[in-house]
Amino acid sequence: MTNQITERIQIIDRFKSIYNWENKTEEKKIKTLKFISFLDYEVVIILLAFSILASGLTSFHVVSIISGNWEKSGILVLMTMSLSIRVPLGFIELLLKKHSKEIKDLKIDFVDKLNHDLEFLIS
């Protein structure tokens, strides 16, 4: 493993995770991240679809699931927004973990600017 690859792996490891990874191997981290990312995306899509459907039905004065009380369903919108903010962080962490796993055994040299760009993006 070259110096540049080692430096890149150290930069990736500095990424602050939103999950607690105590006593987990890299394989378990990646597997858990895949599951959590998929689950988060599915929940956000369902909540977003439900919000749009309920809003549309309420605005057309159709008896909807919320039965015209759209003003009282702010918690649904807040949950959707909070999850949609969190979801990309898990996906980015998954991509970084996969990249770190792939480059561990490489013996190539590349431009140092790539490491600096990665460090900037992570920070």
Side-chain angles (χ1 to χ4, degrees), residues 58-84:
T58 303
S59 65
F60 290 123
H61 303 294
V62 175
V63 177
S64 69
I65 300 167
I66 305 174
S67 67
N69 291 330
W70 183 241
E71 302 85 30
K72 296 180 182 177
S73 64
I75 190 73
L76 179 69
V77 175
L78 287 174
M79 284 176 52
T80 305
M81 294 307 294
S82 66
L83 275 176
S84 65

Side-chain angles (χ1 to χ4, degrees), residues 4-21:
Q4 293 168 333
I5 300 285
T6 306
E7 182 183 342
R8 190 168 189 87
I9 291 172
Q10 289 171 351
I11 291 170
I12 291 172
D13 289 340
R14 281 188 247 157
F15 181 75
K16 183 164 174 39
S17 177
I18 59 173
Y19 305 108
N20 186 11
W21 294 120

Side-chain angles (χ1 to χ4, degrees), residues 16-82:
K16 183 164 174 39
S17 177
I18 59 173
Y19 305 108
N20 186 11
W21 294 120
E22 291 181 17
N23 303 325
K24 290 207 176 181
T25 63
E26 287 297 316
E27 289 298 320
K28 282 191 175 187
K29 287 179 188 178
I30 291 174
K31 187 176 178 181
T32 305
L33 273 172
K34 281 181 185 178
F35 177 73
I36 290 173
S37 294
F38 177 73
L39 185 67
D40 284 347
Y41 272 115
E42 292 300 316
V43 168
V44 166
I45 288 171
I46 290 169
L47 286 174
L48 190 61
F50 181 74
S51 299
I52 291 170
L53 176 68
S55 174
L57 290 177
T58 303
S59 65
F60 290 123
H61 303 294
V62 175
V63 177
S64 69
I65 300 167
I66 305 174
S67 67
N69 291 330
W70 183 241
E71 302 85 30
K72 296 180 182 177
S73 64
I75 190 73
L76 179 69
V77 175
L78 287 174
M79 284 176 52
T80 305
M81 294 307 294
S82 66

Side-chain angles (χ1 to χ4, degrees), residues 90-103:
F91 185 67
I92 290 169
E93 185 176 354
L94 175 64
L95 291 177
L96 287 172
K97 295 284 182 200
K98 281 185 170 182
H99 180 66
S100 175
K101 181 182 173 186
E102 289 172 0
I103 66 171

